[in-house]
Amino acid sequence: MRPMRDADAVIIGAGAAGLHCAAIAGQRGVRVLLIDHASAVAEKIRISGGGRCNFTNRDATPANFVSSNPDFCRSALARYTPQHFIDLMDRHGIAWHEKHKGQLFCDDSSQQVIDLLLAECARGRVERWQPCTVQAVRHGAHGFEFDTTLGPARAAQLVVASGGLSIPKIGASDFGYRLARQFGHKVIEPRPALVPLTFDAQQWAPFAALSGLSLEVNVRSSGSRIAFDEDLLFTHRGLSGPAILQISTFWESGDALQIDLAPLQDLAHELTAAKPGSKKRLGHLLAERMPRRLAETWLTIHGIDGDKPLADMRDRELQALATPLQHWTLVPHGSEGYRKAEVTVGGVDTRELSSQSMQSRRVPGLHFIGEVVDVTGWLGGYNFQWAWASAFACAQALEARR
């Protein structure tokens, strides 16, 4: 058991936001104690981007984030841009590439980003207790006191960077929300985001055989005006892929999805226009405009003979076929939950935080950063950019109190 450890700031959570904040603050002369309960450091970074870490999005703007207080993220994102983290990657000699729509990945391994952050913490002489569980936090006239499995600690400033509820198998917990409530903060109800959506087994049975099939679609949710043009993936239990992960952030229970399975096409016009003189069969022609397995399954489900010659189809029959394909409306039963969710929507209410410093308006010296805060980015590196930006804003506000 260690004796009382005095620090200028204790940061709870050694993920992307916590490590970045600790490094910046430490290099500014702040004595930082970084605490995390997990045995492995920054597992969420390690598994992200298929092991190559989609570390930011070059095109990130406030419009790519969801919050009950939408303007809150503007200040932090303006002060620490994607280019700032790109410059940090370049200084460490880490090769990277743009994959799709501004998404930046390591050429080699996510471990390079973890190593970068640990090296930056070492430069800032950050002390890290890990694995170490925080058992209790108290606040008094002299700041914060902590009971931990590695001994007591105290600091004038506390930064909560403990993340959300997504991927519990790597250590996600509700610690940050409980701590926020302990100090009188409101928490916007958390729910899984960037997550596959599921359907009633009986409802989905006709489509289950399409598991593994992918195609580009346009998708929107009835509860939101926003739509995404991305790839959709059929699974045994429902729908996944970038299109569904994106819209899941905006989807709420009871909302319907509307999916265009043939975007940038006017199927009704194309099918009727192809009729004159055509010797093709309906199923063959439809398979030219979408994956064959999907075309065959769709025709079977709707009791339409795919071997019927196109020329024998009436225009209104083709219209009746095309419209549902471009306006496929279905209501998910639920989602795959936190075990498959990449992030958590909701969190500490930003109306009770300073957008300049991430500091609590209720408790002096208390800060919240990263995913524990009610700011959630789209799929594609945006959530890491929020981690870097909120960490920077907080680190700039932390004070050395020697």
Side-chain angles (χ1 to χ4, degrees):
M1 184 70 71
R2 291 184 171 105
M4 176 69 74
R5 170 66 167 91
D6 283 299
D8 294 327
V10 164
I11 299 177
I12 300 176
L19 285 166
H20 197 47
C21 183
I24 296 169
Q27 290 173 34
R28 293 183 58 248
V30 179
R31 293 177 301 154
V32 176
L33 173 60
L34 178 60
I35 301 175
D36 196 292
H37 72 285
S39 56
V41 63
E43 274 289 279
K44 200 164 186 182
I45 294 178
R46 186 185 65 79
I47 67 174
S48 70
R52 292 193 175 181
C53 190
N54 181 191
F55 60 87
T56 192
N57 192 296
R58 191 193 291 278
D59 303 325
T61 72
N64 303 117
F65 295 84
V66 177
S67 173
S68 59
N69 181 19
D71 289 332
F72 177 83
C73 64
R74 290 183 177 277
S75 174
L77 291 171
R79 292 162 61 199
Y80 195 91
T81 67
Q83 190 60 49
H84 285 102
F85 200 81
I86 292 170
D87 291 344
L88 183 59
M89 294 280 285
D90 290 344
R91 287 200 298 273
H92 282 258
I94 300 174
W96 52 270
H97 61 278
E98 181 174 339
K99 187 175 180 180
H100 178 65
K101 295 185 178 180
Q103 301 169 16
L104 306 187
F105 291 77
C106 298
D107 282 0
D108 295 323
S109 166
S110 300
Q111 187 62 44
Q112 294 174 292
V113 176
I114 299 172
D115 292 342
L116 175 158
L117 294 168
L118 291 175
E120 290 292 309
C121 283
R123 282 187 58 202
R125 298 182 179 181
V126 173
E127 183 176 0
R128 179 161 54 94
W129 290 3
Q130 189 174 8
C132 175
T133 299
V134 177
Q135 299 163 316
V137 181
R138 296 175 295 277
H139 181 255
H142 301 291
F144 299 88
E145 293 186 353
F146 307 86
D147 296 334
T148 83
T149 52
L150 292 182
R154 62 187 169 206
Q157 299 155 110
L158 167 59
V159 180
V160 181
S162 53
L165 297 171
S166 52
I167 321 181
K169 70 179 181 181
I170 63 171
S173 77
D174 65 348
F175 175 87
Y177 307 139
R178 287 188 280 114
L179 198 60
R181 292 186 178 107
Q182 175 185 329
F183 290 114
H185 276 270
K186 179 183 177 183
V187 174
I188 304 300
E189 188 64 30
R191 58 182 175 85
L194 302 186
V195 63
L197 298 177
T198 59
F199 297 83
D200 175 80
Q202 185 174 356
Q203 174 193 8
W204 195 247
F207 297 101
L210 294 176
S211 178
L213 185 147
S214 176
L215 74 160
E216 185 172 354
V217 303
N218 175 275
V219 59
R220 66 179 65 243
S221 173
S222 61
S224 171
R225 295 180 180 178
I226 199 161
F228 291 97
D229 294 300
E230 294 277 6
D231 285 350
L232 173 147
L233 175 69
F234 284 84
T235 73
H236 289 294
R237 288 164 47 84
L239 295 172
S240 186
I244 298 302
L245 299 188
Q246 292 281 35
I247 207 64
S248 71
T249 299
F250 301 86
W251 176 81
E252 295 187 14
S253 181
D255 288 350
L257 300 183
Q258 187 174 90
I259 302 173
D260 182 349
L261 293 167
L264 303 181
Q265 300 182 61
D266 184 340
L267 274 183
H269 173 75
E270 291 177 19
L271 293 176
T272 53
K275 254 179 61 173
S278 175
K279 296 182 179 180
K280 289 186 178 181
R281 301 188 182 278
L282 176 62
H284 178 75
L285 192 68
L286 196 60
E288 292 178 351
R289 288 159 171 78
M290 62 182 57
R292 178 185 56 79
R293 288 169 58 205
L294 175 58
E296 292 174 351
T297 299
W298 190 272
L299 291 172
T300 299
I301 289 172
H302 290 84
I304 301 173
D305 182 5
D307 287 331
K308 190 171 184 178
L310 182 66
D312 292 349
M313 299 286 294
R314 297 178 180 178
D315 286 359
R316 67 172 180 268
E317 291 178 310
L318 294 175
Q319 178 73 50
L321 168 65
T323 299
L325 279 166
Q326 298 207 270
H327 298 86
W328 187 25
T329 302
L330 63 173
V331 179
H333 181 263
S335 79
E336 292 287 1
Y338 290 115
R339 69 187 184 91
K340 291 287 186 72
E342 294 192 16
V343 293
T344 305
V345 167
V348 179
D349 192 342
T350 58
R351 295 176 183 85
E352 300 176 344
L353 304 178
S354 163
S355 63
Q356 297 292 315
S357 65
M358 306 292 127
Q359 183 170 205
S360 165
R361 299 188 187 279
R362 292 180 173 274
V363 181
L366 176 62
H367 302 72
F368 295 90
I369 61 174
E371 190 180 345
V372 75
V373 175
D374 176 33
V375 175
T376 305
W378 293 5
L379 180 73
Y382 298 100
N383 286 291
F384 275 125
Q385 186 56 36
W386 171 246
W388 314 138
S390 60
F392 176 83
C394 178
Q396 293 296 313
L398 296 178
E399 299 178 358
R401 301 192 178 187
R402 289 187 176 87

